[in-house]
Amino acid sequence: MKTVLITGSCGGIGKQTALHFARQNWTVIATMHVYKEVEEFKKYSNIYSYGLDVTSTENIEIAKQQILKNHKQIDTIINNAGVGYRSFVELSEDEKINMIVNVNWLGVVKICRAFIPVLRDQRFGQIINITSIAGLVNLPLGNFYHSTKQAVESFSECMAYELYPFHVSVATVQFGNAPTSFQKNVAVCQQTEICSYNNLMNRISTLLEKKSSENKELPEKIVEKLHQIAENPNRCFRRYTIGFDANFMKILRRITGYKIFNSIIRKKTLEN
């Protein structure tokens, strides 16, 4: 049985990915910020849950030692843990900025840094970093979320060169809004006396909710694609885009260039 380590496994895409891999007879190391029993995991003897805080170097090391004591090899690491923050730059808060940077960006860095020696010593393995279509295009109110996801894209591509000689592959996966608990947990700035800000926030929030509700089949496509990538690792760096929305936005941005793309998005979100 192959072994996969997944961060952020207690809900959303992380939990669905853990369940899917378990059904495919993988050993699943399901990690989460604070350990708790996930009811659905109890049905599977090949899912092992661990507490792991991706923002804490010390906690990662403790969890790593526990994991390696029970699992002799790790074939795939899926960096899934992530949070959202939808705010205007003017109204942003230090605490929320630090949180999204620490989880979405530095969390990926710290997990990779901790487990690369394991994969390097094995001389095989792969790292799959889940980013978002936000890692490829820039949209209104994505100041913080998009920048962290783009940072992970750059980090992953650079890291792939380092790991290539050790037969350790790196891939990123992007997709759009999926009907999971993620959007419900996104931190959003409060209403303000600036009318244009309120109008834009309402438009973007409504649009994201609509897109999430429409993409009912997207979570299943995501977990199936993650399993496919894990079963067939490509030694060279790869980006995988899943779902109509993400692929459409990627192609539109590529064809139009940033000026026309910016004009299209502005008309859709800012102009009546």
Side-chain angles (χ1 to χ4, degrees), residues 60 70 115 160:
I60 290 172
N70 299 324
F115 285 93

Side-chain angles (χ1 to χ4, degrees), residues 14-53:
K15 182 169 76 172
Q16 293 182 51
T17 302
L19 293 169
H20 183 81
F21 272 75
R23 295 187 193 107
Q24 302 303 317
N25 296 319
W26 279 61
T27 295
V28 178
I29 302 170
T31 73
M32 53 204 73
H33 177 251
V34 177
Y35 172 78
K36 67 176 183 179
E37 288 191 356
V38 179
E39 193 64 31
E40 293 91 334
F41 290 174
K42 295 179 181 178
K43 303 175 185 177
Y44 298 90
S45 60
N46 53 333
I47 298 182
Y48 302 86
S49 297
Y50 297 85
L52 188 156
D53 179 359

Side-chain angles (χ1 to χ4, degrees), residues 12 41 48 71-72 76 80 88 99 111 113 117 123 146 156 177 188 204 218 222 226 229 232 241:
F41 290 174
Y48 302 86
H71 307 278
K72 301 306 178 185
T76 301
N80 164 77
F88 304 92
M99 175 58 73
I111 290 294
R113 183 176 63 185
R123 297 194 67 82
H146 286 234
S156 302
N177 291 286
V188 179
I204 296 301
L218 185 56
I222 293 168
L226 288 171
I229 297 168
N232 303 279
T241 307

